Amino acid sequence: MSNAAITVLQGDGVGPEVTEQALQVLRAVEAVYDHAFVFHQGLVGQDAIAAEGAAISDATFEMCARSDAVLFGAVGGAPSGRADGGPRPEQALFRLRKEFGFFANLRPVRPAEPMYGASPVRPERLKGTDMVFVRELSAGLYYGHLESVPGKPSGIDRTGPDPKAVDTLTYTGQEIERVVRTAFGIAARRGHRVTSVDKANVLSSSVLWREVVEEVARDHPTVDHEHMLVDTCAMELLRNPARFDVVVTENLFGDILTDEASVLAGSIGMLPSASLGVRRVEGGLFGLYEPVHGSAPDIAGQDRANPVGAILSAALLLRHSLGLEREAAAVEAAVEEVLHRGYRTPDVQESGRTVVGTRDMGRLVRDTLAQA
Ligand code: IPM
Ligand code: MG
């Protein structure tokens, strides 16, 4: 029996409603498999800014630190541009990712066969698609503004007649190595193929990235690897998605390519993610689990959001942080079964399918889990 502590941060927009369904699925897992998880709730994003003055307060952060895992919804409001001014909801994510050392963001993309019709990509191209993105998550352009290099690495200089903006892309060898090792480790347990994505024909950070990949590859003789330029990868993802097994890339490339890859699964609402570092907890690695989609304020509170990405994120939590592989697989099987029976949220609606809301989708998954 697991008594793991899980901090739940629902966040903004559709975050609360999809996270609620993921939470209910974890409660169903408790009941079926006789666990007693301990849940804590905290504020994050816009509500935290309003109530506590920061996108994530120190108290909430400490609560996460004392947990085995964090289940995260979404943060963000209407796009407001980049911030020179007050706190932004996204800062909560950046703080969690950076301070907990979550350098590896796993984003599996495995379109279920009954979902093929929901993707604009033809079924014969989708067939066999089963890949995991390993996105570097704690360095690169996202963190240029935190580095202590001279000359303020990120910001806008408005002193001259023509304003000038700068962002800095830095990677150290170690920052590259740890995420690349994670990718090779995962590949060694699945399809034995790593595609490393970069822009080595232009960027110095990518030249270093390739050198490190070559070094790590020497330690993994059973894993094949290739280098692919990011623009080529953007094309190959739609042209021939089944060719990929494990794809490893830097932070911003990974952000962009995984949104693109989500169309293979029918909708970004379908995709889960796990953010992992090195800290061990009883069942595995301390981690943060969130759907790949954002806060989608335009559909918030309407029972229209797809909870599958959040529910599958809870499955990853069971697997990676709690060591409950059987339970994780059961949740994934329940989701697949519900999709197989033709239930769809509006984002992946097709003719001949039964459209359901966020809550009903969650309930169907729980019922299926309980019956299995
Ligand atoms: C993601 C999101 C975030 C990111 C945003 C909300 C800052 O797009 O997790 O992919 O860019 O990392
Ligand atoms: Mg993104």
Side-chain angles (χ1 to χ4, degrees):
M1 177 165 110
S2 168
N3 300 113
I6 300 167
T7 294
V8 182
L9 305 175
Q10 302 192 333
D12 303 322
V14 298
E17 51 200 300
V18 297
T19 311
E20 176 61 25
Q21 295 313 314
L23 181 59
Q24 294 301 331
V25 166
L26 288 175
R27 291 205 184 279
V29 167
E30 279 188 295
V32 175
Y33 295 91
D34 198 25
H35 298 298
F37 305 139
V38 182
F39 294 101
H40 302 287
Q41 300 261 359
L43 292 180
V44 77
Q46 291 172 326
D47 288 350
I49 292 172
E52 302 171 335
I56 180 164
S57 69
D58 291 343
T60 304
F61 190 82
E62 290 308 319
M63 188 164 75
C64 295
R66 288 192 303 270
S67 304
D68 295 276
V70 179
L71 183 66
F72 193 96
V75 286
S80 59
R82 197 54 223 257
D84 302 347
R88 285 171 305 140
E90 292 83 358
Q91 285 164 347
L93 261 184
F94 300 149
R95 180 172 180 195
L96 288 162
R97 290 172 178 177
K98 187 72 177 182
E99 292 188 33
F100 285 137
F102 293 139
F103 59 82
N105 182 226
L106 278 39
R107 299 186 165 186
V109 183
R110 189 181 52 202
E113 201 158 340
M115 293 298 299
Y116 283 2
S119 172
V121 177
R122 289 204 295 273
E124 62 269 27
R125 298 204 168 178
L126 292 173
K127 204 165 164 37
T129 297
D130 179 358
M131 68 182 104
V132 180
F133 271 85
V134 182
R135 169 189 174 191
E136 200 292 324
L137 200 63
S138 61
L141 280 166
Y142 280 63
Y143 293 95
H145 55 294
L146 291 179
E147 300 293 332
S148 57
V149 293
K152 204 160 187 265
S154 176
I156 306 176
D157 178 357
R158 300 183 193 275
T159 54
D162 191 19
K164 182 179 172 185
V166 60
D167 294 287
T168 306
L169 171 50
T170 58
Y171 267 103
T172 68
Q174 280 180 7
E175 285 168 342
I176 299 168
E177 185 182 336
R178 60 191 185 179
V179 73
V180 169
R181 283 204 183 278
T182 299
F184 274 82
I186 293 171
R189 281 176 269 125
R190 23 177 301 147
H192 302 272
R193 219 166 54 247
V194 167
T195 304
S196 171
V197 176
D198 64 35
K199 190 71 184 174
N201 52 349
V202 179
L203 301 175
S204 303
S205 55
S206 289
V207 172
L208 180 61
W209 187 282
R210 275 195 189 202
E211 286 173 22
V212 174
V213 169
E214 286 304 318
E215 277 165 34
V216 173
R218 270 183 233 122
D219 298 337
H220 292 86
T222 66
V223 176
D224 290 336
H225 73 284
E226 62 179 339
H227 301 281
M228 190 179 281
L229 295 172
V230 62
D231 44 358
T232 307
C233 181
M235 182 173 68
E236 284 296 290
L237 273 176
L238 300 183
R239 228 176 54 88
N240 190 8
R243 79 191 293 291
F244 295 102
D245 176 27
V246 176
V247 183
V248 63
T249 191
E250 66 89 45
N251 206 340
L252 184 64
F253 294 163
D255 178 47
I256 298 168
L257 292 175
T258 51
D259 266 36
E260 184 191 348
S262 77
V263 306
L264 303 168
S267 159
I268 197 164
M270 302 290 297
L271 290 200
S273 83
S275 300
L276 303 171
V278 293
R279 198 184 116 200
R280 298 208 65 86
V281 290
E282 206 181 305
L285 287 174
F286 178 55
L288 179 138
Y289 301 85
E290 54 171 327
V292 172
H293 67 73
S295 59
D298 52 320
I299 60 161
Q302 298 170 30
D303 195 40
R304 290 174 59 81
N306 188 343
V308 167
I311 291 169
L312 292 176
S313 298
L316 295 179
L317 183 156
L318 292 166
R319 174 172 296 128
H320 294 290
S321 286
L322 274 47
L324 301 175
E325 173 58 36
R326 183 182 55 151
E327 288 82 339
V331 171
E332 289 165 349
V335 168
E336 205 154 317
E337 165 74 22
V338 170
L339 295 173
H340 193 77
R341 279 164 32 212
Y343 294 104
R344 300 284 188 275
T345 43
D347 56 323
V348 282
Q349 175 178 352
E350 292 172 78
S351 70
R353 310 294 194 185
T354 311
V355 180
V356 293
T358 312
R359 286 192 293 265
D360 279 343
M361 194 58 164
R363 185 182 47 74
L364 284 159
V365 173
R366 291 197 301 278
D367 291 351
T368 307
L369 189 67
Q371 279 152 26

